Amino acid sequence: MSNLPQYPQYPQHSAAPPSPGSIGNTPMYQPYPAPYGTPADMGSMAAPFGLADLGSRLGARVLDLVLWYVGYMATGGIWLSMWIDAGGGSTARTLLLIWVVASGVLYYPLCIGKYGSTLGKRICKVRIVRRETGQTIGFWRALSREVFWPVASIIPVLGLLNSLWCCWDKPYQQCLHDKVADTMAVAR
């Protein structure tokens, strides 16, 4: 006899694999229910692409705001601001408001609708796609997505919830502006 310890013997299992949807006699656990508004059989599908992480999304948004502001000021915002300071009146304020809206529409929805990302999103390797198909979203869907930001910011709690919603949303980590446009942010 040997002085080695004796290990317990485990029962032998049959060679037949378990039936689909169960492990032994225990049903498999589904971690998340089907997303709202989708058929139940799609609930077990994983996201069609790798989702962008929250840090990349935040970095892309901050970078986009900085790039938009620099572009806005360089292409006329500074001149309109100086005109207002010099007593330009309501005409200068109206032109400033028109330029803010026009530059925002030209940068955000146009870039996201056509290319799937803005310059800041490209740098941070984030792309915005349709949730169902994974394709680019088009101008009108991108416009509705981007218009939701300032509208949500006017309502006190909704502006904060919009940005934080992706922290607990499963399985696509969509913010409220993504849900409005039925989009998701994926890694390039």
Side-chain angles (χ1 to χ4, degrees):
M1 292 255 185
S2 148
N3 290 337
L4 297 175
Q6 295 296 319
Y7 295 104
Q9 297 297 316
Y10 294 102
Q12 299 296 321
H13 296 284
S14 66
S19 62
S22 68
I23 299 176
N25 292 332
T26 309
M28 290 181 70
Y29 173 71
Q30 294 295 330
Y32 303 111
Y36 180 77
T38 59
D41 61 332
M42 289 184 65
S44 61
M45 290 177 45
F49 303 101
L51 296 174
D53 64 1
L54 300 179
S56 296
R57 293 177 71 173
L58 177 63
R61 179 58 74 169
V62 169
L63 192 55
D64 276 336
L65 285 172
V66 168
L67 291 171
W68 171 77
Y69 185 74
V70 167
Y72 160 75
M73 291 305 274
T75 60
I78 195 164
W79 303 111
L80 289 170
S81 299
M82 289 169 46
W83 185 18
I84 290 172
D85 288 343
S90 64
T91 305
R93 283 190 213 102
T94 303
L95 285 175
L96 182 66
L97 180 64
I98 289 170
W99 185 238
V100 166
V101 171
S103 63
V105 167
L106 287 173
Y107 182 62
Y108 291 105
L110 195 63
C111 291
I112 292 173
K114 185 166 178 139
Y115 305 111
S117 61
T118 56
L119 185 58
K121 286 177 178 46
R122 285 180 187 236
I123 291 170
C124 293
K125 296 183 169 77
V126 175
R127 187 167 173 252
I128 306 301
V129 297
R130 289 187 68 157
R131 186 181 55 86
E132 305 94 11
T133 63
Q135 302 297 319
T136 55
I137 63 176
F139 176 76
W140 295 109
R141 191 175 295 254
L143 183 64
S144 70
R145 182 181 187 274
E146 295 302 323
V147 163
F148 189 82
W149 274 94
V151 170
S153 297
I154 293 170
I155 302 169
V157 176
L158 189 60
L160 181 63
L161 280 177
N162 177 34
S163 301
L164 295 177
W165 200 269
C166 62
C167 295
W168 57 77
D169 183 63
K170 300 293 180 210
Y172 298 114
Q173 295 180 340
Q174 294 172 297
C175 291
L176 291 179
H177 62 274
D178 288 317
K179 290 193 176 293
V180 164
D182 199 25
T183 60
M184 62 184 192
V186 297
R188 280 193 167 267

